[in-house]
Each structure stands twice: as structure tokens, then as C-alpha cells.
Amino acid sequence: MITKLELKNFTTFEKLDIDFSPRINVIIGENGTGKTQLLKAAYALASISSQNPKVTDPKELEKIFTDKFTRIFMPDDLKIGKLARCHESLCATVQGDFLENGRFEKKIKFDFSTRVQSLKIDEKYKSQGDLYTMSPIFIPTKEVISLYRGLLNEPSHKDVFQNIFDDSYFDLCNKLSQTPSEENEPRIQTFLEDIVNKIQGRFEFEGSSVNFNAGQYIPYAQSTIEKDKTKDGKRFFEPTPDEKLSTHMVAEGFRKLGVLHRLIENQSLVPKKSGSLFWDEPESNMNPLLMRTIVEVLLHLSRKEQQIILTTHDYILIKWLHLLSDKTDHIKYHILYRDEHNKIQVKSTDNYLEIEPNAIADTFNYITKEQVKLKMGSLGK
Amino acid sequence: MKLKEGDLEFHFTNAIDAIIFDQMKPKEDNFHGIAAMHRVDFVVELEEAILFVEVKDPGHPRAQQEGLEKFYNELVDGTLGDTFKSKFIDTFLYRWAEEKLTKPIHYLNLVTLDDEAQTNNLTDEIIRKLPPLGKNTPRWKKQLFENCQVFNLEAWNENFPKWPVIRISSQAGAQ
């Protein structure tokens, strides 16, 4: 998991330090305050190490850092210097502190500048090749199931796709393509079945293709035969006859839930084994009625010690987190805002009611005020 | 003009007239007299408009658990929205019969919830339940109200500096 991220002169941020909860982190803030950039910076750092174990050659390491950051952020001309805010040498810094398996502290740091394509990786990190190996997951705002076949299996069009989609989309498709290696634990299996019933079917991955098989999990009939008693209380998937659909025919919100389902099903997302789960605006294109299911799954994963870092604009998501969490849960809210000098700052709190400034609540307040203004003019003022 | 409802005191500083509309004591001024009709708490006359004001105070510092449960159950099952609707309609009829509806009406409700998402939601529910029930009414020449809105305490005071509301118990405690 990532415990701390420090950004200096990096993209929108002049200086920003953020301490993460080992469980659930919710990043909120208005558009343009750098929520996604913060998420991507943490993800890029974590994924560089886990995707490239045991690299110590300085030139190779520099290339790996440069490639990953430019492919994740996609700056102009794919030049890493475009991610820095000033012109001095080595002015931008990105540093993350990580815990490997909850024990070993790892620090990953690098500096770079705008002027030349220079990049300097922390000496200690370089010399020890002291890599963080827990592979993180990034779920971007657009759903990826409908892009899966193209992004994963069309090498002839890779350049085109790479001009459109940043690396987080490719990374996620690779995660989705993994084959399940063992059965999931019963509680997780119940969540998976609940997701299938919510989206009225399941996405089935076979080689390079993915289809949606409509249907639902229903309980086995009670059996009087002793050897079948093991099925009591369990459910099985009953497909709807002749209802295999192209993924493009399925609602986008369902596809997003399908991603979460697949990551858990194929054990890409396993608490204590996988790295952090980064999720950029889970609510985008999602029917609000599905949000409770997502929050229940996230809370369950976090109770199994999965670190989750998400960004949101969504009242409903935060409200469900607030309502469904208990005293043992740890949810940390990080509020990004612009101070009086127009610099991005962060405030963190464990209590939703202490969120200030709260872009989401402010929106409701704004609606209240606008209704008064539009309907009542200056009455009462 | 100051009016009290439970632990909340309203000061309508620019009112021509402000009455406790829900007055059911026969010896008091403005005795309502029809218990079977629903009633808003206050009717306030301004130079250019009339306010119907209804107050619900689940945020009362000494609110009893039983009362709170009833309030939240009614909020969830729609009974509260129905009550707000009935109070407006019956008050409207009563004031019409009194020939007092001479200016545009604003139906303003103070509900002491913290969450402004909930007050916005309740606003929508009451508007949906009041005539014309969200329908198009090309034959209507007038509308029943100019604005219908639910505020919490903070939003009320923020939006209506000329009609400040104070919580009486907190003022007493501060002295």
C-alpha cells in the first residue's frame, strides 16, 4: 500500500503532501484541483516497480520511469518535462512511501525538469533495486470492457489506441485478461453473485473476447439426498436462453460493475496480495441505485485490509460510505482546494461532517441559493 | 415582527403583518377555528409578497427519540411531504376565503436537518405533490405559489438576512 505521496512542482501541484489511510481514501474537490492527477501519480509510481521487478540499470530505470509517467499522463509530445512546473534543473519531484506486505518500507522518488529530458532517480532506490512488488489496479473513468478486445488484441492499431487511451486502460485490460487460478472465498463469491444479479448477467472472458451472458444466480433446490446437501444455501448461475450479448449492447454502468466483478473473480484484486485499488470517479455512467452494491464491496475489501483510493464528485457514494461503515472501518477524506493564492492544497479528515471546503455539499447549497434567487429575487435580503 | 415556534424564534424585520396562523386558542388573536383543516405555522405579509411558513424541528436539542423516529419514518414514507402539501392547500383556501390572497405566495419551510441534499429532495417532493402535480396547465392564468422550498437553519439564515431565525435555547445558554 502507499502510505504517503509527495509532489513538488508537478503538473497542477506546487507542493502537496498527502498521507493515505491503509483502508479507504476518498479524494474530493472541484474540477481542476488535480484529483485524477494525484491518483495517477500514486498509481504510476506503484505500477513502475511492480511491473518491472529487479531493474537496477540506471539508464533502463530512467526509461521505465519516463515511459510510464508519459504514458499515464500523456503530456504534449509525450515529454516528461511537460509535467514539471518550472524551468530549473531537477525542479519537479514525485515521491511515494510504500509498505510491502504491511511491513517493509519502500521509498520511490524521482526528480526531473522541463528544460531537458533529464530525470534523476533516488540513489538509494537505484542502488538497491529495492522494488515495491504489490501490483496496483487503476480503474479509469471510462469503462473498459467494450474496449477490451481492441486494446488488448489489435497490435496493428496500437499506435492509434495509444494516442487515445493512456496506459491505465491498457494495464486494466491486462488485469482483466488474467485467468482465475483458484476458487474465491465464500463471502467474496456471494458478493460476486450479488453483482451478477444486479446487472442481470455476467461478463464471460474467453481468450481475446468477452461477452455478456444474461442470467442470474438462483438458489439450488433443497435436496433430501445426503451427498447434495453441500449445495444447500448456495446458488448457481442460470443463463437466460439465447441471451449472449455483445458487450456494446450492455449498459455502461453495468460494464463498470463488470470490471469490479472480473477483477475480484480472477484474483487480480485480492486483499493483502494485490496493491492498492485506485478508482477514478466510480459514479461515472453509473445508475445511482447500483452505488450501494459498489460501496458494500469496497467496504468488504477494505475490511480484509485492501487499500482503496478513489476520487468522487458523488454525494450518493459518500453518503453510502458514511451510512454503511462502522467504527472499525477507516475512511479518510482528502479535500483538494485552491487557496487564496490559487495554489492547490489538501486537507484530510476522518469525519465526513468535517469536510471543508466540501465541493459536493457546496453544490447543494448553491442549488438552494439559486432557487431562492430565481424564484424570489431580493425578497428577504 | 417576532414569532415563535417551539425553540425557534423568527424575526420578520420588514413584515407589514405576521401572524401565528396555527392559532387554536379561542381567546387569542387570529383564532383559526377549524381544527379539521391543516394549517401552516405562520403567515407573513410583506410589501410585495405573502409567505406561508411551516417549521419542523428534528434538530431540537431536546428532541425525544420517539419523536425523531416518527419524523424520519414520515420523511421516508412520504407522509411528511403529504402533510406539507395539505398544509399549503388548506391554508391557501382559508386565506382565499378571507380575501387575503392579494399578493404572490412563497411557501417557505424550515426543517432543521443538517443535510442540504435532504432538504433539496424534500423541496422536490412537496412541489411534485402540490397542484398542478407536475403537469402542464395551459388553461391556468395564475400559479399557486412563486416559490416552494425547504431550508435548514443555516441555509435559511444565509438566504434571508431580513428574516433571521435563532434557536432560543442556545441563546439562553449563551447568556
Side-chain angles (χ1 to χ4, degrees):
Chain A
M1 78 178 83
I2 182 165
T3 56
K4 184 169 189 163
L5 179 70
E6 296 176 58
L7 302 171
K8 198 174 138 198
N9 296 322
F10 180 77
T11 64
T12 319
F13 307 105
E14 192 169 308
K15 184 164 185 349
L16 193 94
D17 294 353
I18 183 163
D19 291 303
F20 292 105
S21 161
R23 298 290 177 266
I24 296 182
N25 297 269
V26 182
I27 301 167
I28 66 172
E30 293 178 20
N31 280 331
T33 49
K35 296 187 295 298
T36 299
Q37 290 178 13
L38 191 155
L39 208 63
K40 282 183 168 180
Y43 170 74
L45 274 185
S47 62
I48 282 169
S49 305
S50 61
Q51 288 174 358
N52 302 279
K54 305 298 174 201
V55 178
T56 51
D57 175 63
K59 284 284 165 215
E60 196 181 342
L61 262 179
E62 283 172 19
K63 183 174 182 322
I64 288 169
F65 271 83
T66 307
D67 286 352
K68 193 68 189 177
F69 269 80
T70 51
R71 284 293 314 137
I72 286 286
F73 283 89
M74 295 181 74
D76 285 348
D77 309 324
L78 292 181
K79 289 201 166 95
I80 192 158
K82 303 268 185 184
L83 300 174
R85 288 169 59 90
C86 56
H87 298 279
E88 298 138 30
S89 64
L90 302 177
C91 69
T93 299
V94 180
Q95 176 174 321
D97 295 355
F98 296 85
L99 269 187
E100 179 98 40
N101 297 320
R103 284 188 294 163
F104 307 110
E105 288 182 19
K106 314 274 171 104
K107 202 179 279 291
I108 306 172
K109 179 188 174 194
F110 74 100
D111 306 278
F112 61 98
S113 75
T114 57
R115 218 170 24 181
V116 284
Q117 286 229 23
S118 62
L119 186 136
K120 186 178 166 218
I121 295 160
D122 186 48
E123 284 303 322
K124 190 175 161 200
Y125 176 80
K126 259 197 318 196
S127 60
Q128 295 178 349
D130 194 15
L131 298 165
Y132 173 74
T133 59
M134 297 178 82
S135 179
I137 293 165
F138 189 100
I139 306 180
T141 48
K142 293 185 192 70
E143 66 81 25
V144 296
I145 284 188
S146 61
L147 309 170
Y148 177 79
R149 190 197 300 251
L151 292 185
L152 207 61
N153 299 299
E154 298 287 353
S156 56
H157 298 115
K158 193 158 185 183
D159 286 353
V160 178
F161 287 132
Q162 283 191 330
N163 275 326
I164 304 170
F165 299 104
D166 69 56
D167 235 19
S168 65
Y169 288 87
F170 293 89
D171 289 352
L172 184 55
C173 285
N174 280 321
K175 294 270 184 196
L176 295 176
S177 71
Q178 289 172 19
T179 316
S181 59
E182 53 192 70
E183 274 196 10
N184 282 295
E185 54 133 325
R187 182 85 177 107
I188 278 287
Q189 183 57 31
T190 305
F191 274 121
L192 292 176
E193 292 170 8
D194 287 347
I195 292 175
V196 166
N197 285 356
K198 281 270 195 277
I199 66 178
Q200 298 146 37
R202 65 184 184 189
F203 292 94
E204 294 178 346
F205 291 71
E206 288 174 25
S208 63
S209 71
V210 49
N211 281 297
F212 184 75
N213 197 0
Q216 59 177 331
Y217 277 93
I218 56 173
Y220 284 102
Q222 290 252 327
S223 176
T224 50
I225 303 165
E226 197 56 37
K227 67 172 184 167
D228 284 346
K229 287 265 185 202
T230 52
K231 290 178 177 170
D232 286 354
K234 291 188 174 174
R235 296 183 283 186
F236 70 97
F237 182 72
E238 185 175 71
T240 308
D242 304 322
E243 275 267 67
K244 278 216 174 190
L245 299 174
S246 151
T247 55
H248 294 272
M249 302 291 287
V250 182
E252 195 157 331
F254 284 3
R255 286 182 237 152
K256 287 194 85 172
L257 260 177
V259 165
L260 185 62
H261 178 274
R262 176 63 177 178
L263 292 170
I264 298 170
E265 181 195 35
N266 73 2
Q267 291 119 32
S268 294
L269 179 54
V270 180
K272 291 195 246 186
K273 286 188 189 165
S274 46
S276 315
L277 169 64
F278 298 91
W279 197 344
D280 198 5
E281 297 183 15
E283 70 271 17
S284 63
N285 294 310
M286 189 75 73
N287 177 344
L289 286 173
L290 297 173
M291 196 50 80
R292 178 178 181 149
T293 304
I294 287 182
V295 169
E296 282 173 338
V297 175
L298 294 179
L299 279 170
H300 176 77
L301 292 170
S302 85
R303 285 165 191 162
K304 297 279 182 182
E305 299 185 29
Q306 173 65 46
Q307 186 185 40
I308 295 160
I309 305 177
L310 51 89
T311 71
T312 188
H313 291 285
D314 190 32
Y315 168 79
I316 295 165
L317 189 157
I318 293 186
K319 194 74 185 177
W320 277 125
L321 270 176
H322 190 54
L323 282 175
L324 298 175
S325 57
D326 59 38
K327 283 179 187 166
T328 61
D329 292 312
H330 190 214
I331 303 169
K332 199 165 180 181
Y333 302 93
H334 307 279
I335 306 110
L336 295 178
Y337 65 99
R338 287 185 187 276
D339 68 11
E340 64 274 28
H341 307 296
N342 210 28
K343 289 178 186 165
I344 306 289
Q345 304 285 1
V346 63
K347 275 189 210 169
S348 300
T349 172
D350 296 340
N351 183 353
Y352 171 67
L353 298 175
E354 286 177 0
I355 295 174
E356 180 65 37
N358 182 340
I360 298 168
D362 288 350
T363 305
F364 289 108
N365 187 256
Y366 179 56
I367 291 170
T368 303
K369 281 188 197 156
E370 282 301 291
Q371 182 170 338
V372 170
K373 194 168 128 190
L374 292 167
K375 302 277 184 182
M376 300 178 69
S378 61
L379 218 55
K381 299 212 165 31
Chain B
M1 288 179 184
K2 290 185 179 177
L3 295 175
K4 264 191 234 176
E5 173 58 35
D7 193 34
L8 298 164
E9 184 179 81
F10 291 71
H11 191 182
F12 295 98
T13 59
N14 62 341
I16 297 169
D17 193 18
I19 61 167
I20 295 175
F21 185 70
D22 189 18
Q23 182 53 266
M24 297 309 284
K25 293 177 187 162
K27 290 184 180 170
E28 297 289 335
D29 289 344
N30 299 305
F31 170 55
H32 184 285
I34 309 178
M37 287 183 90
H38 292 274
R39 307 167 294 278
V40 299
D41 290 313
F42 311 139
V43 173
V44 179
E45 188 180 350
L46 307 164
E47 187 85 31
E48 63 277 60
I50 292 165
L51 311 180
F52 289 0
V53 180
E54 177 62 21
V55 182
K56 295 281 175 200
D57 194 11
H60 191 300
R62 289 191 301 282
Q64 299 294 310
Q65 189 57 32
E66 199 181 333
L68 284 177
E69 276 177 22
K70 182 168 177 283
F71 172 84
Y72 283 103
N73 286 337
E74 290 186 352
L75 177 66
V76 171
D77 71 14
T79 312
L80 189 68
D82 292 340
T83 306
F84 275 106
K85 172 201 73 174
S86 301
K87 281 172 180 274
F88 178 88
I89 292 174
D90 284 7
T91 304
F92 186 95
L93 287 173
Y94 194 109
R95 295 301 271 177
W96 170 81
E98 287 186 285
E99 296 190 334
K100 295 280 191 188
L101 297 185
T102 53
K103 298 171 188 175
I105 300 166
H106 297 270
Y107 188 23
L108 307 181
N109 303 295
L110 176 64
V111 180
T112 55
L113 291 162
D114 286 334
D115 195 333
E116 228 169 330
Q118 283 180 310
T119 56
N120 278 327
N121 213 16
L122 187 55
T123 293
D124 291 346
E125 184 187 337
I126 298 167
I127 293 173
R128 269 199 306 274
K129 287 179 170 173
L130 280 170
L133 311 174
K135 306 291 183 201
N136 289 326
T137 49
R139 291 169 55 191
W140 287 26
K141 302 286 184 225
K142 291 177 167 186
Q143 50 189 4
L144 292 185
F145 52 85
E146 294 293 316
N147 189 25
C148 167
Q149 198 168 354
V150 181
F151 302 84
N152 64 18
L153 193 53
E154 200 178 6
W156 178 289
N157 280 324
E158 192 179 358
N159 282 285
F160 305 125
K162 282 192 177 163
W163 312 325
V165 182
I166 56 164
R167 185 168 284 294
I168 298 164
S169 58
S170 71
Q171 294 289 308
Q175 283 166 7

